[in-house]
Coordinates of all heavy atoms in Angstrom, one line a residue:
K121 N 3.8 -9.8 7.5 CA 2.6 -10.6 6.7 C 2.0 -9.6 5.8 O 2.0 -8.3 6.0 CB 1.6 -11.0 7.8 CG 2.2 -11.9 8.9 CD 2.5 -13.2 8.4 CE 3.0 -14.1 9.6 NZ 3.5 -15.4 9.1
V122 N 1.4 -10.1 4.8 CA 0.8 -9.3 3.7 C -0.7 -9.4 3.8 O -1.3 -10.5 3.9 CB 1.3 -9.8 2.3 CG1 0.5 -9.0 1.2 CG2 2.7 -9.5 2.2
V123 N -1.4 -8.2 3.8 CA -2.9 -8.2 3.8 C -3.2 -7.6 2.3 O -2.6 -6.7 1.9 CB -3.3 -7.2 4.8 CG1 -4.9 -7.0 4.7 CG2 -3.0 -7.6 6.2
V124 N -4.2 -8.3 1.8 CA -4.7 -7.7 0.4 C -6.1 -7.1 0.5 O -7.0 -7.8 1.1 CB -4.7 -8.8 -0.6 CG1 -5.2 -8.4 -1.9 CG2 -3.3 -9.5 -0.7
T125 N -6.2 -5.9 0.1 CA -7.5 -5.3 0.2 C -7.8 -4.4 -1.2 O -6.9 -4.0 -1.8 CB -7.6 -4.4 1.4 OG1 -9.0 -3.9 1.5 CG2 -6.8 -3.2 1.3
G126 N -9.1 -4.4 -1.5 CA -9.5 -3.7 -2.8 C -10.1 -4.8 -3.6 O -9.3 -5.8 -3.8
R127 N -11.3 -4.6 -4.2 CA -11.9 -5.7 -4.9 C -11.0 -6.3 -6.1 O -10.7 -7.5 -6.2 CB -13.2 -5.2 -5.6 CG -14.0 -6.4 -6.2 CD -15.4 -5.7 -6.5 NE -15.3 -4.9 -7.7 CZ -15.4 -5.2 -8.9 NH1 -15.5 -6.4 -9.3 NH2 -15.3 -4.3 -9.8
S128 N -10.5 -5.4 -6.9 CA -9.7 -5.9 -8.1 C -8.4 -6.5 -7.6 O -7.8 -7.5 -8.2 CB -9.4 -4.8 -9.1 OG -8.6 -3.7 -8.6
M129 N -7.8 -5.9 -6.5 CA -6.6 -6.5 -6.0 C -6.7 -7.8 -5.4 O -5.9 -8.8 -5.7 CB -6.0 -5.6 -4.9 CG -4.6 -5.9 -4.3 SD -3.3 -5.7 -5.5 CE -3.0 -3.8 -5.4
I130 N -7.8 -8.1 -4.7 CA -8.2 -9.4 -4.2 C -8.3 -10.4 -5.3 O -7.8 -11.6 -5.3 CB -9.3 -9.3 -3.3 CG1 -9.0 -8.7 -1.9 CG2 -9.9 -10.8 -2.9 CD1 -10.3 -8.3 -1.1
T131 N -9.1 -10.0 -6.3 CA -9.4 -10.9 -7.4 C -8.2 -11.2 -8.3 O -7.8 -12.4 -8.5 CB -10.4 -10.1 -8.5 OG1 -11.6 -9.9 -7.7 CG2 -10.7 -11.0 -9.6
N132 N -7.3 -10.2 -8.6 CA -6.1 -10.5 -9.5 C -5.1 -11.3 -8.7 O -4.3 -12.1 -9.4 CB -5.6 -9.2 -10.0 CG -6.5 -8.5 -11.1 OD1 -7.5 -9.1 -11.5 ND2 -6.2 -7.3 -11.5
T133 N -4.9 -10.9 -7.4 CA -3.8 -11.7 -6.7 C -4.2 -13.2 -6.6 O -3.4 -14.1 -6.7 CB -3.6 -11.1 -5.2 OG1 -4.8 -10.9 -4.6 CG2 -2.9 -9.8 -5.4
K134 N -5.6 -13.4 -6.4 CA -5.9 -14.8 -6.3 C -5.8 -15.4 -7.6 O -5.2 -16.6 -7.7 CB -7.5 -14.9 -5.9 CG -8.1 -16.3 -5.8 CD -9.5 -16.3 -5.5 CE -9.9 -17.7 -5.1 NZ -9.5 -18.7 -6.1
V135 N -6.1 -14.9 -8.8 CA -5.9 -15.4 -10.1 C -4.4 -15.7 -10.3 O -4.0 -16.8 -10.7 CB -6.4 -14.6 -11.2 CG1 -5.9 -15.1 -12.6 CG2 -8.1 -14.5 -11.1
A136 N -3.6 -14.8 -10.0 CA -2.1 -14.9 -10.3 C -1.5 -15.9 -9.4 O -0.6 -16.7 -9.8 CB -1.5 -13.5 -10.0
R137 N -2.0 -16.1 -8.2 CA -1.4 -17.1 -7.3 C -1.9 -18.5 -7.7 O -1.2 -19.4 -7.8 CB -2.0 -16.9 -5.8 CG -1.2 -15.7 -5.1 CD -1.7 -15.6 -3.6 NE -1.1 -16.7 -2.9 CZ -1.6 -17.1 -1.7 NH1 -2.9 -16.7 -1.4 NH2 -1.1 -18.1 -1.1
D138 N -3.2 -18.6 -8.2 CA -3.7 -19.9 -8.6 C -3.0 -20.4 -9.8 O -2.8 -21.7 -9.9 CB -5.2 -19.8 -8.9 CG -6.1 -19.6 -7.6 OD1 -5.5 -19.8 -6.5 OD2 -7.2 -19.2 -7.7
L139 N -2.6 -19.4 -10.6 CA -2.0 -19.8 -11.9 C -0.4 -19.9 -11.8 O 0.2 -20.2 -12.8 CB -2.3 -18.9 -13.0 CG -3.8 -18.9 -13.4 CD1 -4.2 -17.9 -14.4 CD2 -4.3 -20.3 -13.8
G140 N 0.1 -19.5 -10.6 CA 1.6 -19.7 -10.5 C 2.4 -18.5 -10.8 O 3.6 -18.6 -10.9
Y141 N 1.8 -17.4 -11.0 CA 2.5 -16.1 -11.4 C 2.8 -15.2 -10.2 O 3.8 -14.4 -10.3 CB 1.6 -15.3 -12.4 CG 1.5 -15.9 -13.8 CD1 0.4 -16.7 -14.1 CD2 2.5 -15.7 -14.8 CE1 0.4 -17.2 -15.4 CE2 2.5 -16.2 -16.1 CZ 1.3 -17.0 -16.3 OH 1.3 -17.6 -17.6
L142 N 2.1 -15.5 -9.1 CA 2.5 -14.7 -7.9 C 2.8 -15.7 -6.8 O 1.8 -16.5 -6.4 CB 1.3 -13.9 -7.5 CG 1.5 -12.9 -6.2 CD1 2.6 -12.0 -6.4 CD2 0.2 -12.2 -5.9
N143 N 4.0 -15.7 -6.3 CA 4.4 -16.7 -5.3 C 4.5 -16.1 -3.9 O 5.4 -15.3 -3.6 CB 5.7 -17.3 -5.8 CG 5.6 -18.0 -7.1 OD1 4.8 -18.8 -7.3 ND2 6.4 -17.5 -8.1
I144 N 3.7 -16.5 -3.0 CA 3.8 -16.2 -1.6 C 2.8 -17.3 -0.8 O 1.8 -17.6 -1.4 CB 3.2 -14.7 -1.3 CG1 3.3 -14.5 0.2 CG2 1.8 -14.5 -1.8 CD1 3.1 -13.0 0.7
S145 N 3.4 -17.8 0.2 CA 2.7 -18.9 0.9 C 1.5 -18.4 1.6 O 1.5 -17.4 2.0 CB 3.7 -19.7 1.8 OG 4.1 -18.7 2.9
D146 N 0.6 -19.3 1.9 CA -0.7 -19.0 2.6 C -0.3 -18.4 4.0 O -1.0 -17.5 4.6 CB -1.6 -20.3 2.8 CG -2.2 -20.6 1.4 OD1 -2.2 -19.7 0.6 OD2 -2.6 -21.8 1.3
K147 N 0.7 -18.9 4.7 CA 1.1 -18.6 6.0 C 1.4 -17.0 6.1 O 1.4 -16.5 7.2 CB 2.1 -19.4 6.6 CG 3.4 -19.3 6.1 CD 4.5 -20.1 6.8 CE 5.9 -19.8 6.2 NZ 7.0 -20.7 6.8
N148 N 1.8 -16.5 4.9 CA 2.3 -15.1 4.9 C 1.2 -14.1 4.4 O 1.5 -12.9 4.3 CB 3.5 -14.9 4.1 CG 4.7 -15.5 4.7 OD1 5.0 -15.3 5.9 ND2 5.6 -16.4 4.0
I149 N 0.0 -14.6 4.2 CA -1.1 -13.8 3.9 C -2.1 -13.8 5.0 O -2.4 -14.7 5.6 CB -1.8 -14.4 2.6 CG1 -0.9 -14.4 1.4 CG2 -3.1 -13.6 2.4 CD1 -1.2 -13.3 0.4
V150 N -2.5 -12.6 5.4 CA -3.5 -12.4 6.5 C -4.8 -11.8 6.0 O -4.7 -10.8 5.2 CB -2.8 -11.5 7.6 CG1 -3.7 -11.4 8.8 CG2 -1.5 -12.2 8.1
D151 N -5.9 -12.1 6.6 CA -7.2 -11.5 6.3 C -7.2 -10.1 6.8 O -6.7 -9.8 7.9 CB -8.3 -12.4 6.8 CG -9.6 -11.8 6.3 OD1 -10.2 -10.9 6.9 OD2 -10.0 -12.2 5.3
A152 N -7.8 -9.1 6.1 CA -7.8 -7.7 6.6 C -8.6 -7.6 8.0 O -8.3 -6.7 8.8 CB -8.6 -6.9 5.6
Y153 N -9.5 -8.6 8.3 CA -10.1 -8.5 9.6 C -9.2 -9.0 10.8 O -9.6 -8.9 11.9 CB -11.4 -9.2 9.6 CG -12.5 -8.5 8.7 CD1 -12.8 -9.0 7.4 CD2 -13.2 -7.5 9.2 CE1 -13.7 -8.4 6.7 CE2 -14.2 -6.8 8.5 CZ -14.4 -7.2 7.3 OH -15.3 -6.6 6.5
D154 N -8.1 -9.7 10.4 CA -7.2 -10.2 11.4 C -6.1 -9.3 11.7 O -5.2 -9.8 12.5 CB -6.8 -11.6 11.1 CG -7.9 -12.6 11.0 OD1 -9.0 -12.4 11.7 OD2 -7.9 -13.6 10.2
V155 N -5.9 -8.1 11.2 CA -4.8 -7.3 11.3 C -4.5 -6.8 12.8 O -3.4 -6.7 13.3 CB -4.7 -6.1 10.4 CG1 -4.6 -6.4 9.0 CG2 -6.0 -5.3 10.7
D156 N -5.6 -6.8 13.5 CA -5.4 -6.3 15.0 C -4.7 -7.4 15.8 O -4.3 -7.1 16.9 CB -6.8 -6.0 15.6 CG -7.4 -4.8 14.8 OD1 -6.6 -4.0 14.4 OD2 -8.6 -4.7 14.8
K157 N -4.7 -8.5 15.3 CA -3.9 -9.7 16.1 C -2.5 -9.5 15.9 O -1.7 -10.3 16.6 CB -4.4 -11.1 15.6 CG -5.9 -11.2 15.8 CD -6.3 -12.6 15.2 CE -7.9 -12.8 15.3 NZ -8.2 -14.1 14.6
L158 N -1.9 -8.7 15.0 CA -0.6 -8.6 14.6 C 0.0 -7.2 15.1 O -0.8 -6.2 15.0 CB -0.2 -8.9 13.2 CG -0.5 -10.2 12.7 CD1 -0.4 -10.2 11.2 CD2 0.6 -11.2 13.3
A159 N 1.3 -7.1 15.4 CA 1.9 -5.9 15.8 C 2.0 -5.0 14.4 O 2.1 -5.6 13.3 CB 3.3 -6.1 16.3
D160 N 1.8 -3.7 14.7 CA 1.8 -2.8 13.4 C 3.1 -3.0 12.6 O 3.0 -2.9 11.3 CB 1.7 -1.4 13.9 CG 0.3 -1.0 14.4 OD1 -0.6 -1.9 14.3 OD2 0.1 0.2 14.8
D161 N 4.3 -3.2 13.2 CA 5.5 -3.4 12.5 C 5.7 -4.8 11.8 O 6.8 -5.2 11.4 CB 6.6 -3.0 13.3 CG 6.9 -3.9 14.4 OD1 6.0 -4.8 14.7 OD2 7.9 -3.8 15.1
R162 N 4.5 -5.5 11.8 CA 4.6 -6.9 11.1 C 3.5 -7.0 10.1 O 3.2 -8.0 9.6 CB 4.2 -8.0 12.3 CG 5.5 -8.3 13.1 CD 6.6 -8.8 12.4 NE 7.9 -8.8 13.1 CZ 8.9 -8.0 13.0 NH1 8.7 -7.0 12.1 NH2 10.0 -8.1 13.6
I163 N 3.1 -5.8 9.5 CA 1.9 -5.9 8.5 C 2.4 -5.0 7.3 O 2.9 -3.8 7.4 CB 0.7 -5.2 9.1 CG1 0.1 -6.2 10.3 CG2 -0.4 -5.1 8.1 CD1 -0.9 -5.6 11.0
V164 N 2.1 -5.5 6.1 CA 2.1 -4.8 4.9 C 0.8 -4.9 4.1 O 0.3 -6.1 4.1 CB 3.3 -5.2 3.9 CG1 3.2 -4.6 2.5 CG2 4.6 -4.8 4.5
V165 N 0.1 -3.9 3.8 CA -1.2 -3.9 3.1 C -1.0 -3.6 1.6 O -0.5 -2.5 1.3 CB -2.1 -2.9 3.8 CG1 -3.5 -3.0 3.1 CG2 -2.3 -3.2 5.3
L166 N -1.4 -4.5 0.8 CA -1.5 -4.3 -0.7 C -2.9 -3.8 -1.0 O -3.8 -4.5 -0.7 CB -1.2 -5.6 -1.4 CG 0.3 -6.0 -1.8 CD1 0.2 -7.4 -2.4 CD2 0.8 -5.0 -2.8
C167 N -2.9 -2.6 -1.6 CA -4.2 -2.0 -1.9 C -4.3 -1.4 -3.2 O -3.3 -1.0 -3.9 CB -4.6 -1.1 -0.8 SG -3.5 0.2 -0.6
T168 N -5.6 -1.2 -3.7 CA -5.9 -0.4 -5.0 C -5.8 1.1 -4.5 O -5.9 1.4 -3.3 CB -7.2 -0.8 -5.5 OG1 -8.2 -0.7 -4.4 CG2 -7.2 -2.2 -6.1

């Protein structure tokens, strides 16, 4: 699953997804506060 953190990263990925330039389904995006619910080898963090 992908976690997005960093102000500009969150903003730009949202804009790109809304406009169809970045394709990833909602089920594969996880909030940074929910990472502890997943095993470490099931997480990728996109950051600034």
Side-chain angles (χ1 to χ4, degrees):
K121 305 289 187 186
V122 175
V123 177
V124 181
T125 185
R127 189 172 66 90
S128 64
M129 187 67 80
I130 291 169
T131 303
N132 287 357
T133 51
K134 183 180 186 311
V135 170
R137 288 183 73 207
D138 290 347
L139 297 177
Y141 288 96
L142 180 62
N143 299 305
I144 181 171
S145 65
D146 289 340
K147 70 177 183 181
N148 289 314
I149 296 255
V150 179
D151 188 272
Y153 288 104
D154 295 331
V155 291
D156 292 335
K157 298 173 185 175
L158 293 169
D160 285 357
D161 63 354
R162 287 288 168 263
I163 296 169
V164 171
V165 179
L166 269 177
C167 61
T168 52

